[in-house]
Amino acid sequence: MKEKFKPLFEPFQFRNGIDVKNRIVMGPTTNFSSHLDGTVTDEEVNYYTRRAHGVGMLITACAYVTPNGKGFHGEFGADTDGVLPSLSRLAKAIKDQGAKAILQIFHGGRSCPPELLPNEDLVSASAVAEERDGAPVPRALEEEEVEEIIHAFGEATRRAIEAGFDGIEIHGANGYLIQQFFSPHSNRRTDRWGGNIENRMAFPLAIVDIVKDTVAKYITQPFLIGYRFSPEEPETPGITMTDTLQLVDALANKDLDYLHVSLMEFWSLARRGTDDTRSRIELIVEKVDKRVPIIGVGSIKTPDDAVKAIEAGVEFIALAREIIIEPDWVQKTLEGNEAEINTVLLRSDQEKLAIPIPLWQAIMNTPGWFPVAE
């Protein structure tokens, strides 16, 4: 390995004593490949096994915590005890390769495809549709239902513990239900869950609290709790950088194990809410001020990209599309063969890379999502 890449391979110990072998994380990416009953398929297990052997941590695709929170076709669940064998199988497959296994849990809210909810209402913080053509109007959750969903996040955490995962990641990013409560676009409530920013933070922070309480109640060994967030929204009104820095400050005071920033481009600049010309990640690093480790992500392809990102002050780098394209990214870097790292998918690569067919079809049919060549 070249000397300049050593920062990527320094071990890290979390405050609770969990050791991670390096600073590279496989980021969560939906794969559309689970059974209809919410259990994992052989294809998914093979896909994760192929990618878990080098990274320090692997964060799974999101698992829904209630039936009306299923956000994708072919998504696996964490909503009932019946899926425990499925979750256990997935956790073991990841951990057997030497990576820490992190289960991402979420509720899709108004972003759920209605056809996946035949016996459930499409719900959100308020009856406000997404800003896209044909988007359905969700039903605003009753206060009792809000409490039930918070409880469901706790139960999903319990299942992650019982299944043998090393941690969970609360998915508060990418426009899903947790973000819908934080956003002034999707949250027009006038009760304790909406209005000013403190009230709009109440739902995300209540989920953090119940997850922490669940972990304290059920763990027999250290367990990681992370939170993923998106810094801004394009809508008006919408989440601004000022809003996010206030949320980040509150989260950093919650004694979480890490924060995970959801970005398409690591070095992207804020759209609004600040006159600071530094990148979003630099503003977040400054606000956190080492209170909690940060995972950065966004169009990082090469080891040189990753080292530059680490130097911005984050503790970990997540690779999502790049680990799908190049499962041996870590090994090739360690062995000094970084020039052999593939950054483009070939149309003949599906079987070689153990990419599930539904994910492969989605990649091939979504121009611009992945770089693809003949």
Side-chain angles (χ1 to χ4, degrees):
M1 176 181 59
K2 290 183 173 60
E3 183 74 21
K4 64 179 178 179
F5 298 140
K6 281 190 175 180
L8 303 177
F9 297 98
E10 293 177 358
F12 185 89
Q13 184 174 77
F14 289 93
R15 283 177 293 190
N16 63 10
I18 289 182
D19 292 307
V20 179
K21 64 185 179 183
N22 61 44
R23 306 303 181 95
I24 306 300
V25 178
M26 179 176 173
T29 303
T30 302
N31 59 55
F32 312 105
S33 301
S34 301
H35 292 298
L36 288 175
D37 64 359
T39 56
V40 300
T41 58
D42 291 345
E43 278 192 301
E44 284 179 288
V45 172
N46 293 338
Y47 163 80
Y48 283 118
T49 299
R50 179 73 176 86
R51 288 160 176 81
H53 61 294
V55 297
M57 294 195 297
L58 187 153
I59 304 169
T60 70
C62 51
Y64 53 92
V65 301
T66 65
N68 69 351
K70 185 174 182 177
F72 302 95
H73 290 271
E75 180 183 2
F76 64 88
D79 59 325
T80 71
D81 286 353
V83 299
L84 274 170
S86 170
L87 294 176
S88 297
R89 182 186 179 204
L90 181 57
K92 184 177 187 300
I94 295 166
K95 292 166 67 173
D96 282 352
Q97 298 300 314
K100 300 300 180 187
I102 311 297
L103 180 69
Q104 188 186 71
I105 55 176
F106 101 134
H107 188 295
R110 69 181 185 180
S111 299
C112 294
E115 67 270 19
L116 296 182
L117 314 175
N119 301 312
E120 303 279 354
D121 290 341
L122 185 74
V123 297
S124 185
S126 298
V128 179
E130 294 179 312
E131 288 193 349
R132 57 180 174 83
D133 291 343
V137 178
R139 176 176 64 79
L141 287 160
E142 300 291 338
E143 186 157 350
E144 181 180 355
E145 294 175 302
V146 176
E147 297 284 2
E148 288 171 353
I149 290 175
I150 293 169
H151 176 74
F153 273 91
E155 284 293 277
T157 301
R158 172 183 61 80
R159 294 181 189 109
I161 294 167
E162 292 179 4
F165 281 91
D166 297 297
I168 63 99
E169 179 171 283
I170 300 166
H171 192 358
N174 300 358
Y176 301 123
L177 185 65
I178 296 176
Q179 182 173 324
Q180 289 163 29
F181 268 85
F182 182 53
S183 168
H185 179 271
S186 44
N187 186 345
R188 313 291 174 90
R189 302 176 74 98
T190 57
D191 60 7
R192 65 192 178 104
W193 302 108
N196 61 32
I197 191 168
E198 287 78 14
N199 285 4
R200 287 188 281 111
M201 285 197 295
F203 183 70
L205 296 180
I207 289 173
V208 169
D209 287 341
I210 199 165
V211 165
K212 289 178 62 179
D213 290 346
T214 303
V215 169
K217 180 177 180 180
Y218 288 102
I219 62 165
T220 57
Q221 57 189 14
F223 188 85
L224 298 172
I225 304 172
Y227 186 103
R228 195 176 200 203
F229 64 94
S230 295
E232 293 186 85
E233 290 180 322
E235 295 88 357
T236 300
I239 296 169
T240 68
M241 203 65 212
T242 300
D243 296 332
T244 286
L245 293 176
Q246 191 165 335
L247 175 63
V248 165
D249 190 50
L251 292 170
N253 287 331
K254 283 289 187 180
D255 293 325
L256 293 167
D257 294 296
Y258 69 82
L259 296 178
H260 186 177
V261 188
S262 182
L263 289 170
M264 289 297 294
E265 168 55 52
F266 185 90
W267 298 103
S268 61
L269 303 179
R271 293 190 187 97
R272 58 191 176 182
T274 179
D275 294 327
D276 200 308
T277 58
R278 289 175 295 168
S279 66
R280 290 163 168 159
I281 198 73
E282 289 171 297
L283 297 174
I284 291 164
V285 166
E286 180 180 76
K287 175 60 70 173
V288 169
D289 194 25
K290 297 296 182 182
R291 285 176 288 170
V292 59
I294 297 172
I295 300 176
V297 68
S299 300
I300 297 169
K301 299 177 180 180
T302 68
D304 285 306
D305 294 339
V307 167
K308 182 181 177 183
I310 283 280
E311 290 171 351
V314 300
E315 282 75 18
F316 294 94
I317 296 298
L319 304 176
R321 284 172 294 179
E322 187 50 41
I323 286 287
I324 295 175
I325 295 169
E326 180 53 90
D328 298 318
W329 194 99
V330 172
Q331 284 74 13
K332 287 182 178 180
T333 305
L334 277 171
E335 294 166 3
N337 297 322
E338 66 279 356
E340 299 177 10
I341 289 175
N342 296 311
T343 58
V344 175
L345 280 176
L346 300 179
R347 293 186 181 274
S348 58
D349 279 349
Q350 183 264 326
E351 186 173 345
K352 178 182 75 173
L353 297 178
I355 297 175
I357 291 174
L359 173 57
W360 183 260
Q361 291 174 339
I363 292 170
M364 293 298 122
N365 293 320
T366 310
W369 186 19
F370 279 68
V372 178
E374 297 298 332

